[in-house]
Amino acid sequence: MNQSRWLTWLSPLLLLVLWEGAVQLGLLNRVFIPPPSEVVVALAKALRDGSMQHDVLVSSQRIGLGFLIGALPGTLLGIWSGLNRTVLALVRPLATMLYPVPKIALLPLVIVVLGIGEVSKVATVAVSVFLMVVIHTIGGVLQIDQRYFEAARVFGANQRTVFRTVALPASLPAIVEGWKLAMGFALTLIVGVEFVGANDGIGYRIWQSYELYAIADMMAAVCVIAGLGWVVTVVLDEVARLVVPWQYTVKESRMSVVRTWWGAVRPWSYTAAIVPVLLGAAIAAQHVGLNWWLLILALIGSIAIQGGTNLMNDYYDYRKGTDTPAVKGTGGALLRGDLTPTQIFWAGICAFGIGAAIGLYLVSVTGPFIFWLGLCSVAVGYFYTAGPFALAYVGLGEIAVFIFMGPVMVLGSYYLQIPTVAWPAVWVSLPVAFVVAAILHANNLRDIDTDRINHKRTLATIFGRDGARIEYYVLVGGTFVSQWVLVALGVAPWPTLVTLIMLPLAWKLMGIAGREVDPAALQPVLRQTAVLHMRFGLLYVLGWVIALWV
Amino acid sequence: MDSGVVVEFAHLGVTYANGVVALSDLSLTLAADQAVCVVGPSGCGKTTLLRVLAGLEKATNGEVQLSRPATLAMVFQQGLLFPWLSVADNISYGLMTRGATPPQCRAAAREWSERMGLQRFIDAYPHQLSGGMQQRVGLARALAVNPDLLLLDEPFAALDAQTRVLMQELLVDLRQQGLCRSMLLVTHAIDEALLVGDRVVVLSARPGRIIADVTPAVTHGQSFDEIRAQPAFMQAFTTIWQLIRREVEAQLHEEVTL
């Protein structure tokens, strides 16, 4: 954190300290102006008895509902008016005329028409949001540079394509800006509305505290609404980054937080975490009715541990300097500087924490077997790239992944449903184990040269390029062959043969892997092997599910 | 209209709503595989000519005849890339509007970005690129639709001098590879017209009429420096410059006497 960011915190802190001191020294009357400490106590009390949560929830509902009811039609009408002169002539004068009228002044009228219930409160918010959004959206559409429309037309765009590719994206920044303003407005408005005719909500609480002369309670409520405003701003800012990303790609400006973390935790790798859990449950379902609660918990836990592993992997790879910008796909967020190593590290710890918490719960429900399974998994996840004997750097990566993302996970998921250690579950998991190891190996095959330079020992660097190609054939081929053997032996049901439709992709990938040398050409192999894993895994699970009925 | 003709203007006239006559009685035939450059003083209606062809402006007199339903594409002066689309989506825009599937679009974007040296920027947004790079994307977007006639409206005027030369060379190179066949380039730079075009059409001051239509004896297929050193180049340059100079001076004089 740099100096100026410290300074921004200094002035509010100083104010609080002076305020507290002034009250404690008797310079200010405690009855009229309670010190910050009392406000904190009042806030804690309101949170403990749940009344604050209730009021926040009620107000948020009114704002949220009013915002949706106002913003959606407002945006649509705004766009329509911006594109059509007739509609514009009808809408704009009315909107501009009504816009400056303080909406709170309309509340009594709204109450007369709609009654004093929820409807009138939501309606008041909705009307003001609607007007604000309409005016901003019209402005946004009208200010689009006409030449973009011309360019679209020259390139053969029809009316609908022009709307989708020019009118909408070009006006989105202004539309989102309108949403932001409207939301701030809604927040202000709801307090006023709740002052008058409500018996709950944050505004009601402020007014009520005033009437009871509980100034500390009142200030606590004001603090909460300030916090609410801050949360809303942050959320809408994030929405803006997601909706209009091209506005946020300037060097100084950061990318969307969601996008950045999305990239950092590599969600596409989660099929590796999901497929075995589903498979274990699907096998168990052949014998018993499923416990959905345990299945969902197992899925979340597994995703959390996978996320943690990814983040730790990034962190340690970055520290060891293995990932250079030339190596694409890993630790991208770190290399670009979007996230700091510390952030990655603690996010990884948090993910492991969630995984551990769920794991402990599952252990308490089912017994120690899951405990040992989970402990081993976490240990392997951690030592995968961490510590002096990082598994990935001594050529044990594929084997660890094969065992833990195949048999171990399937067995664990199965055990949650039926608490016995069932060997068939292990055999059945083999195809998935092969294909998940193939993903990792595709990565190592691609990086074979850079890994050699960095003294990162993988099976690929140990076997050499030809050996590594054969290993890829074995892993991808083993995926299918092992499954055929299982079906032939009657261990796996015949509907699982739906996976055959993935054979052409597998064949194509083996072809590319056997031919290409250039990392850029091998990059699609890695990506497509992950796709193969996902599709093969889900189809395999689907086969087991179909087997429940046939 | 014979098959070797791409487009034919007959007695074309454009008068704007405010009474300004941009073009009057302009007749011109563009042959297939020809690179025609239109030069003339500022405001002579060069750009209007392109806009009529592109269907962005209506001719008030005369007619424009295209041989068969021809595909046109245009490169705009400021690039005019869509800021909200990535480089890849900009390049494949014309294919997308013509119903290409996303994988086809992606493949075309990859092919053209490699050809234009843009592969590192394929996922970037236009504003992250330099002016020259942006104009490469503009050129790729136009050529990706494999147009029968490529229209270029002062495409390199906004670039710095060094980048401009590189882009002109790129354009010539693309033509030699057979990637852009017929083109109509509007420019105010006479040397650009002579370096890039086979045929140069000189327009008068507004309202634009054709005052010269020459096919200079410049030998192409050499480096720009060598072409510039050819006597034919210098001779054509001087002739065209004299013509335009007279127009500009007449216009100045007119404005003064007004």
Side-chain angles (χ1 to χ4, degrees):
Chain A
M1 207 183 271
N2 56 33
Q3 197 192 6
S4 65
R5 277 187 72 181
W6 279 111
L7 286 176
T8 56
W9 288 98
L10 191 64
S11 53
L13 274 176
L14 209 61
L15 181 73
L16 286 177
V17 170
L18 285 177
W19 178 3
E20 181 79 39
V23 179
Q24 298 299 356
L25 292 172
L27 298 173
L28 290 171
N29 189 336
R30 179 179 288 269
V31 178
F32 297 123
I33 304 180
S37 55
E38 265 178 48
V39 175
V40 171
V41 171
L43 183 60
K45 188 169 145 280
L47 286 172
R48 230 181 1 254
D49 66 20
S51 59
M52 183 64 85
Q53 286 91 323
H54 172 76
D55 286 335
V56 168
L57 196 67
V58 166
S59 295
S60 309
Q61 274 170 353
R62 288 172 184 153
I63 295 172
L65 208 56
F67 183 81
L68 277 182
I69 294 174
L72 280 179
T75 309
L76 294 177
L77 186 65
I79 294 176
W80 195 22
S81 320
L83 293 175
N84 185 310
R85 278 163 196 280
T86 320
V87 182
L88 181 68
L90 288 170
V91 170
R92 189 149 66 162
L94 210 58
T96 0
M97 227 150 55
L98 290 174
Y99 179 64
V101 177
K103 299 317 164 290
I104 193 79
L106 298 175
L107 183 62
L109 181 68
V110 176
I111 290 175
V112 168
V113 178
L114 296 174
I116 196 142
E118 281 305 293
V119 182
S120 62
K121 298 178 186 68
V122 172
T124 312
V125 173
V127 167
S128 77
V129 167
F130 176 79
L131 287 172
M132 199 150 215
V133 169
V134 165
I135 287 181
H136 268 89
T137 307
I138 291 178
V141 179
L142 288 180
Q143 50 104 54
I144 301 174
D145 189 337
Q146 292 302 307
R147 292 176 311 162
Y148 290 127
F149 288 109
E150 292 186 351
R153 266 167 47 207
V154 168
F155 283 99
N158 59 25
Q159 208 64 34
R160 256 180 55 197
T161 315
V162 169
F163 177 78
R164 188 169 56 82
T165 60
V166 179
L168 196 60
S171 50
L172 261 179
I175 293 174
V176 173
E177 202 51 42
W179 291 348
K180 279 190 195 173
L181 287 170
M183 198 62 179
F185 212 69
L187 213 58
T188 322
L189 196 59
I190 200 66
V191 174
V193 168
E194 287 172 349
F195 273 3
V196 184
N199 41 29
D200 51 6
I202 200 87
Y204 164 79
R205 172 178 283 271
I206 293 172
W207 196 255
Q208 186 73 4
S209 311
Y210 159 74
E211 292 201 315
L212 297 174
Y213 233 81
I215 309 291
D217 290 343
M218 191 171 91
M219 286 184 170
V222 171
C223 290
V224 167
I225 202 148
L228 207 60
W230 181 77
V231 169
V232 166
T233 314
V234 170
V235 168
L236 282 177
D237 197 45
E238 190 54 35
V239 168
R241 280 169 207 276
L242 278 175
V243 178
V244 286
W246 63 92
Q247 296 240 316
Y248 292 93
T249 41
V250 194
K251 242 188 218 141
E252 292 77 30
S253 155
R254 68 181 171 81
M255 288 220 323
S256 154
V257 177
V258 175
R259 253 171 223 253
T260 307
W261 281 102
W262 187 259
V265 297
R266 276 171 270 148
W268 52 91
S269 63
Y270 290 163
T271 53
I274 291 168
V275 164
V277 176
L278 289 179
L279 183 60
I283 302 166
Q286 312 291 323
H287 309 292
V288 293
L290 277 190
N291 183 333
W292 289 96
W293 166 238
L294 289 181
L295 173 58
I296 288 167
L297 274 185
L299 280 174
I300 297 173
S302 165
I303 289 169
I305 289 178
Q306 172 76 42
T309 312
N310 284 353
L311 291 163
M312 282 301 171
N313 189 5
D314 281 357
Y315 177 73
Y316 282 103
D317 271 352
Y318 184 77
R319 289 272 303 270
K320 290 192 177 185
T322 320
D323 282 9
T324 57
V327 183
K328 284 168 72 177
T330 48
L334 268 175
L335 293 172
R336 282 194 306 272
D338 293 343
L339 295 171
T340 65
T342 324
Q343 280 176 315
I344 296 271
F345 179 81
W346 285 108
I349 294 291
C350 281
F352 278 139
I354 293 169
I358 291 177
L360 287 177
Y361 173 77
L362 293 177
V363 168
S364 74
V365 179
T366 55
F369 179 72
I370 292 293
F371 174 76
W372 293 114
L373 222 57
L375 192 69
C376 291
S377 303
V378 171
V380 169
Y382 185 78
F383 288 110
Y384 189 73
T385 46
F389 298 106
L391 296 169
Y393 298 154
V394 293
L396 292 174
E398 280 99 329
I399 292 165
V401 163
F402 186 96
I403 294 172
F404 278 86
M405 308 209 79
V408 170
M409 285 182 68
V410 174
L411 198 60
S413 171
Y414 183 90
Y415 190 91
L416 288 180
Q417 304 292 340
I418 308 173
T420 50
V421 181
W423 283 105
V426 173
W427 306 133
V428 163
S429 66
L430 285 178
V432 173
F434 273 113
V435 70
V436 76
I439 303 180
L440 177 64
H441 183 60
N443 180 72
N444 292 344
L445 181 63
R446 181 199 61 184
D447 295 344
I448 188 164
D449 292 327
T450 41
D451 283 348
R452 273 211 190 107
I453 295 165
N454 288 304
H455 304 291
K456 180 172 166 178
R457 281 163 67 85
T458 63
L459 283 186
T461 62
I462 293 168
F463 291 160
R465 191 174 288 279
D466 288 334
R469 281 173 179 163
I470 292 170
E471 190 196 337
Y472 186 78
Y473 300 152
V474 168
L475 290 174
V476 174
T479 305
F480 289 89
V481 174
S482 64
Q483 196 210 334
W484 298 339
V485 171
L486 288 170
V487 174
L489 294 176
V491 183
W494 62 265
T496 55
L497 290 175
V498 292
T499 54
L500 282 175
I501 59 175
M502 297 317 299
L503 210 50
L505 176 64
W507 188 254
K508 194 181 113 195
L509 290 176
M510 288 197 276
I512 304 175
R515 198 170 54 236
E516 299 292 347
V517 180
D518 180 23
L522 286 169
Q523 173 69 19
V525 175
L526 171 58
R527 202 170 293 173
Q528 292 292 309
T529 308
V531 171
L532 177 70
H533 169 272
M534 179 182 74
R535 296 201 184 145
F536 180 92
L538 294 178
L539 285 170
Y540 189 46
V541 171
L542 180 72
W544 279 90
V545 173
I546 296 172
L548 287 173
W549 286 285
V550 296
Chain B
M1 207 160 142
D2 73 89
S3 58
V5 173
V6 181
V7 66
E8 198 171 334
F9 301 93
H11 310 292
L12 186 76
V14 175
T15 310
Y16 288 128
N18 58 8
V20 172
V21 183
L23 291 172
S24 87
D25 198 28
L26 190 141
S27 299
L28 184 66
T29 305
L30 300 188
D33 293 323
Q34 212 173 33
V36 180
C37 294
V38 178
V39 292
S42 316
C44 71
K46 306 184 291 267
T47 297
T48 308
L49 185 67
L50 278 195
R51 290 176 57 85
V52 170
L53 251 182
L56 297 173
E57 209 87 64
K58 277 223 159 58
T60 28
N61 304 105
E63 58 176 327
V64 182
Q65 245 193 331
L66 290 166
S67 67
R68 68 197 161 88
T71 309
L72 298 181
M74 188 152 168
V75 180
F76 299 86
Q77 184 168 0
Q78 256 89 30
L80 222 57
L81 303 174
F82 301 112
W84 45 86
L85 297 182
S86 66
V87 165
D89 290 341
N90 264 294
I91 291 177
S92 58
Y93 188 83
L95 297 171
M96 184 271 294
T97 60
R98 288 169 172 84
T101 61
Q104 287 169 335
C105 288
R106 190 78 201 165
R110 204 169 303 129
E111 184 192 331
W112 276 99
S113 60
E114 266 165 38
R115 199 168 276 151
M116 299 295 210
L118 289 163
Q119 56 273 54
R120 274 177 54 226
F121 306 102
I122 192 157
D123 290 318
Y125 286 108
H127 72 87
Q128 295 172 297
L129 306 182
S130 66
M133 284 295 183
Q134 287 186 17
Q135 205 50 296
R136 277 167 197 258
V137 179
L139 205 51
R141 174 174 69 173
L143 290 176
V145 303
N146 190 19
D148 297 305
L149 177 59
L150 177 68
L151 308 173
L152 301 110
D153 182 12
E154 303 245 15
F156 313 132
L159 303 177
D160 63 83
Q162 291 86 3
T163 312
R164 192 181 311 140
V165 173
L166 293 180
M167 291 299 293
Q168 288 162 349
E169 283 174 352
L170 177 68
L171 190 60
V172 169
D173 194 40
L174 287 167
R175 264 201 94 216
Q176 277 164 359
Q177 292 177 44
L179 291 167
C180 76
R181 293 164 317 216
S182 319
M183 60 183 219
L184 183 60
L185 180 132
V186 160
T187 178
H188 63 259
I190 301 167
D191 61 336
E192 181 169 282
L194 291 170
L195 289 168
V196 174
D198 313 320
R199 176 179 160 201
V200 181
V201 173
V202 186
L203 291 193
S204 67
R206 184 181 284 166
R209 290 165 291 105
I210 295 176
I211 49 173
D213 186 345
V214 292
T215 306
V218 173
T219 318
H220 288 279
Q222 297 178 333
S223 80
F224 278 8
D225 290 333
E226 286 168 324
I227 295 177
R228 280 178 207 278
Q230 291 174 20
F233 177 92
M234 290 187 274
Q235 198 190 339
F237 189 97
T238 318
T239 316
I240 296 169
W241 170 231
Q242 292 305 336
L243 285 169
I244 294 177
R245 186 188 185 116
R246 207 183 308 144
E247 289 295 321
V248 177
E249 279 173 353
Q251 209 175 11
L252 276 177
H253 182 67
E254 209 171 291
E255 273 162 22
V256 171
T257 49
L258 269 172

Short mmCIF file of all heavy atoms in Angstrom, two decimals, chain A residues 201-234:
data_model
loop_
_atom_site.label_atom_id
_atom_site.label_comp_id
_atom_site.label_asym_id
_atom_site.label_seq_id
_atom_site.Cartn_x
_atom_site.Cartn_y
_atom_site.Cartn_z
N GLY A 201 -37.59 -1.21 7.77
CA GLY A 201 -36.66 -0.65 6.79
C GLY A 201 -35.70 0.31 7.48
O GLY A 201 -35.96 0.78 8.59
N ILE A 202 -34.63 0.60 6.78
CA ILE A 202 -33.54 1.37 7.40
C ILE A 202 -33.97 2.82 7.65
O ILE A 202 -33.60 3.43 8.65
CB ILE A 202 -32.27 1.25 6.54
CG1 ILE A 202 -31.02 1.59 7.33
CG2 ILE A 202 -32.34 2.05 5.29
CD1 ILE A 202 -30.47 0.39 8.05
N GLY A 203 -34.76 3.38 6.73
CA GLY A 203 -35.24 4.75 6.91
C GLY A 203 -36.17 4.85 8.12
O GLY A 203 -36.10 5.78 8.91
N TYR A 204 -37.02 3.84 8.22
CA TYR A 204 -37.94 3.79 9.38
C TYR A 204 -37.14 3.76 10.67
O TYR A 204 -37.46 4.45 11.63
CB TYR A 204 -38.82 2.54 9.27
CG TYR A 204 -39.52 2.19 10.55
CD1 TYR A 204 -40.67 2.88 10.97
CD2 TYR A 204 -39.03 1.18 11.38
CE1 TYR A 204 -41.29 2.57 12.16
CE2 TYR A 204 -39.65 0.86 12.56
CZ TYR A 204 -40.78 1.55 12.95
OH TYR A 204 -41.40 1.24 14.13
N ARG A 205 -36.08 2.96 10.69
CA ARG A 205 -35.25 2.83 11.89
C ARG A 205 -34.63 4.17 12.29
O ARG A 205 -34.59 4.53 13.47
CB ARG A 205 -34.15 1.80 11.64
CG ARG A 205 -33.10 1.70 12.71
CD ARG A 205 -32.10 0.63 12.37
NE ARG A 205 -32.65 -0.68 12.64
CZ ARG A 205 -32.54 -1.29 13.83
NH1 ARG A 205 -31.90 -0.72 14.83
NH2 ARG A 205 -33.05 -2.48 14.01
N ILE A 206 -34.18 4.92 11.27
CA ILE A 206 -33.58 6.23 11.56
C ILE A 206 -34.64 7.14 12.19
O ILE A 206 -34.40 7.79 13.23
CB ILE A 206 -33.00 6.85 10.28
CG1 ILE A 206 -31.81 6.03 9.77
CG2 ILE A 206 -32.59 8.30 10.50
CD1 ILE A 206 -31.28 6.45 8.42
N TRP A 207 -35.80 7.17 11.58
CA TRP A 207 -36.85 8.06 12.06
C TRP A 207 -37.32 7.64 13.46
O TRP A 207 -37.50 8.48 14.34
CB TRP A 207 -38.03 8.04 11.08
CG TRP A 207 -38.96 9.18 11.29
CD1 TRP A 207 -40.20 9.13 11.87
CD2 TRP A 207 -38.73 10.54 10.98
NE1 TRP A 207 -40.76 10.37 11.92
CE2 TRP A 207 -39.87 11.26 11.38
CE3 TRP A 207 -37.65 11.23 10.39
CZ2 TRP A 207 -39.98 12.64 11.20
CZ3 TRP A 207 -37.76 12.60 10.23
CH2 TRP A 207 -38.91 13.28 10.63
N GLN A 208 -37.49 6.33 13.63
CA GLN A 208 -37.93 5.79 14.90
C GLN A 208 -36.94 6.15 16.02
O GLN A 208 -37.33 6.59 17.10
CB GLN A 208 -38.05 4.27 14.77
CG GLN A 208 -38.63 3.55 15.96
CD GLN A 208 -40.13 3.79 16.06
OE1 GLN A 208 -40.72 4.43 15.19
NE2 GLN A 208 -40.74 3.32 17.13
N SER A 209 -35.66 6.00 15.72
CA SER A 209 -34.64 6.31 16.71
C SER A 209 -34.69 7.79 17.06
O SER A 209 -34.50 8.17 18.22
CB SER A 209 -33.25 5.97 16.17
OG SER A 209 -33.24 4.69 15.62
N TYR A 210 -34.97 8.60 16.07
CA TYR A 210 -35.07 10.04 16.31
C TYR A 210 -36.22 10.32 17.27
O TYR A 210 -36.08 11.07 18.24
CB TYR A 210 -35.27 10.76 14.98
CG TYR A 210 -35.87 12.14 15.13
CD1 TYR A 210 -35.11 13.20 15.61
CD2 TYR A 210 -37.21 12.36 14.79
CE1 TYR A 210 -35.67 14.45 15.75
CE2 TYR A 210 -37.78 13.61 14.93
CZ TYR A 210 -37.01 14.65 15.42
OH TYR A 210 -37.57 15.89 15.56
N GLU A 211 -37.36 9.66 17.01
CA GLU A 211 -38.53 9.92 17.86
C GLU A 211 -38.31 9.43 19.28
O GLU A 211 -38.84 10.00 20.22
CB GLU A 211 -39.77 9.26 17.23
CG GLU A 211 -40.16 9.93 15.93
CD GLU A 211 -41.60 9.67 15.53
OE1 GLU A 211 -42.02 8.50 15.64
OE2 GLU A 211 -42.28 10.63 15.12
N LEU A 212 -37.53 8.37 19.42
CA LEU A 212 -37.22 7.83 20.76
C LEU A 212 -36.01 8.54 21.37
O LEU A 212 -35.59 8.22 22.46
CB LEU A 212 -36.96 6.34 20.69
CG LEU A 212 -38.13 5.46 20.22
CD1 LEU A 212 -37.68 4.03 20.05
CD2 LEU A 212 -39.28 5.55 21.21
N TYR A 213 -35.44 9.42 20.58
CA TYR A 213 -34.22 10.13 20.99
C TYR A 213 -33.05 9.19 21.26
O TYR A 213 -32.22 9.45 22.14
CB TYR A 213 -34.50 11.03 22.20
CG TYR A 213 -34.04 12.42 21.90
CD1 TYR A 213 -34.84 13.26 21.13
CD2 TYR A 213 -32.77 12.86 22.29
CE1 TYR A 213 -34.38 14.51 20.79
CE2 TYR A 213 -32.33 14.10 21.94
CZ TYR A 213 -33.14 14.92 21.19
OH TYR A 213 -32.68 16.15 20.83
N ALA A 214 -33.00 8.07 20.52
CA ALA A 214 -31.87 7.15 20.63
C ALA A 214 -30.87 7.50 19.53
O ALA A 214 -30.84 6.88 18.47
CB ALA A 214 -32.35 5.71 20.49
N ILE A 215 -30.09 8.55 19.80
CA ILE A 215 -29.23 9.10 18.75
C ILE A 215 -28.18 8.08 18.30
O ILE A 215 -27.86 7.99 17.12
CB ILE A 215 -28.53 10.40 19.23
CG1 ILE A 215 -29.56 11.36 19.81
CG2 ILE A 215 -27.76 11.05 18.09
CD1 ILE A 215 -30.51 11.96 18.82
N ALA A 216 -27.66 7.29 19.23
CA ALA A 216 -26.63 6.30 18.87
C ALA A 216 -27.22 5.29 17.88
O ALA A 216 -26.58 4.94 16.89
CB ALA A 216 -26.11 5.60 20.11
N ASP A 217 -28.46 4.84 18.15
CA ASP A 217 -29.10 3.90 17.22
C ASP A 217 -29.26 4.53 15.84
O ASP A 217 -29.05 3.90 14.81
CB ASP A 217 -30.49 3.51 17.74
CG ASP A 217 -30.39 2.63 18.97
OD1 ASP A 217 -29.28 2.10 19.19
OD2 ASP A 217 -31.39 2.53 19.70
N MET A 218 -29.65 5.83 15.86
CA MET A 218 -29.85 6.54 14.62
C MET A 218 -28.55 6.59 13.82
O MET A 218 -28.53 6.30 12.61
CB MET A 218 -30.31 7.96 14.95
CG MET A 218 -30.79 8.75 13.77
SD MET A 218 -31.54 10.27 14.34
CE MET A 218 -30.15 11.34 14.30
N MET A 219 -27.46 6.93 14.51
CA MET A 219 -26.18 7.01 13.81
C MET A 219 -25.74 5.65 13.30
O MET A 219 -25.15 5.55 12.21
CB MET A 219 -25.12 7.60 14.72
CG MET A 219 -25.31 9.07 14.91
SD MET A 219 -23.99 9.75 15.88
CE MET A 219 -24.33 11.48 15.68
N ALA A 220 -26.02 4.61 14.07
CA ALA A 220 -25.67 3.27 13.63
C ALA A 220 -26.37 2.96 12.30
O ALA A 220 -25.76 2.44 11.36
CB ALA A 220 -26.06 2.24 14.68
N ALA A 221 -27.67 3.35 12.25
CA ALA A 221 -28.42 3.11 11.02
C ALA A 221 -27.86 3.91 9.86
O ALA A 221 -27.77 3.42 8.72
CB ALA A 221 -29.89 3.45 11.23
N VAL A 222 -27.44 5.15 10.15
CA VAL A 222 -26.85 5.98 9.09
C VAL A 222 -25.56 5.34 8.57
O VAL A 222 -25.32 5.28 7.36
CB VAL A 222 -26.58 7.41 9.61
CG1 VAL A 222 -25.78 8.20 8.58
CG2 VAL A 222 -27.90 8.11 9.91
N CYS A 223 -24.76 4.82 9.51
CA CYS A 223 -23.52 4.15 9.10
C CYS A 223 -23.84 2.97 8.19
O CYS A 223 -23.16 2.74 7.17
CB CYS A 223 -22.74 3.64 10.31
SG CYS A 223 -22.03 4.93 11.27
N VAL A 224 -24.87 2.22 8.57
CA VAL A 224 -25.22 1.04 7.79
C VAL A 224 -25.63 1.45 6.38
O VAL A 224 -25.22 0.83 5.39
CB VAL A 224 -26.34 0.23 8.48
CG1 VAL A 224 -26.90 -0.81 7.52
CG2 VAL A 224 -25.78 -0.46 9.70
N ILE A 225 -26.42 2.52 6.28
CA ILE A 225 -26.86 2.91 4.95
C ILE A 225 -25.69 3.44 4.12
O ILE A 225 -25.62 3.21 2.90
CB ILE A 225 -28.04 3.91 4.99
CG1 ILE A 225 -28.77 3.85 3.66
CG2 ILE A 225 -27.60 5.32 5.27
CD1 ILE A 225 -30.21 4.10 3.77
N ALA A 226 -24.73 4.07 4.81
CA ALA A 226 -23.52 4.49 4.10
C ALA A 226 -22.80 3.26 3.56
O ALA A 226 -22.33 3.23 2.42
CB ALA A 226 -22.61 5.30 5.01
N GLY A 227 -22.70 2.23 4.41
CA GLY A 227 -22.05 0.99 4.01
C GLY A 227 -22.77 0.36 2.83
O GLY A 227 -22.14 -0.11 1.87
N LEU A 228 -24.09 0.40 2.91
CA LEU A 228 -24.91 -0.16 1.83
C LEU A 228 -24.60 0.57 0.51
O LEU A 228 -24.45 -0.05 -0.55
CB LEU A 228 -26.38 0.00 2.19
CG LEU A 228 -27.37 -0.99 1.59
CD1 LEU A 228 -27.03 -2.40 2.02
CD2 LEU A 228 -28.79 -0.63 2.02
N GLY A 229 -24.53 1.89 0.61
CA GLY A 229 -24.21 2.69 -0.57
C GLY A 229 -22.87 2.30 -1.16
O GLY A 229 -22.72 2.16 -2.37
N TRP A 230 -21.91 2.06 -0.26
CA TRP A 230 -20.58 1.69 -0.72
C TRP A 230 -20.62 0.34 -1.44
O TRP A 230 -20.05 0.17 -2.51
CB TRP A 230 -19.63 1.64 0.48
CG TRP A 230 -18.23 1.30 0.10
CD1 TRP A 230 -17.30 2.13 -0.47
CD2 TRP A 230 -17.61 0.03 0.24
NE1 TRP A 230 -16.14 1.45 -0.69
CE2 TRP A 230 -16.29 0.17 -0.25
CE3 TRP A 230 -18.01 -1.20 0.75
CZ2 TRP A 230 -15.39 -0.89 -0.26
CZ3 TRP A 230 -17.11 -2.25 0.75
CH2 TRP A 230 -15.82 -2.09 0.25
N VAL A 231 -21.33 -0.61 -0.83
CA VAL A 231 -21.44 -1.94 -1.43
C VAL A 231 -22.07 -1.84 -2.83
O VAL A 231 -21.58 -2.42 -3.80
CB VAL A 231 -22.28 -2.89 -0.54
CG1 VAL A 231 -22.62 -4.18 -1.30
CG2 VAL A 231 -21.53 -3.21 0.73
N VAL A 232 -23.15 -1.05 -2.90
CA VAL A 232 -23.85 -0.89 -4.18
C VAL A 232 -22.90 -0.31 -5.24
O VAL A 232 -22.85 -0.77 -6.37
CB VAL A 232 -25.10 0.00 -4.00
CG1 VAL A 232 -25.62 0.45 -5.36
CG2 VAL A 232 -26.18 -0.76 -3.26
N THR A 233 -22.13 0.70 -4.83
CA THR A 233 -21.18 1.31 -5.76
C THR A 233 -20.18 0.29 -6.28
O THR A 233 -19.92 0.20 -7.48
CB THR A 233 -20.41 2.46 -5.07
OG1 THR A 233 -21.35 3.25 -4.37
CG2 THR A 233 -19.68 3.31 -6.08
N VAL A 234 -19.62 -0.48 -5.35
CA VAL A 234 -18.62 -1.47 -5.73
C VAL A 234 -19.22 -2.50 -6.67
O VAL A 234 -18.63 -2.85 -7.70
CB VAL A 234 -18.05 -2.16 -4.47
CG1 VAL A 234 -17.20 -3.37 -4.87
CG2 VAL A 234 -17.23 -1.18 -3.66
#
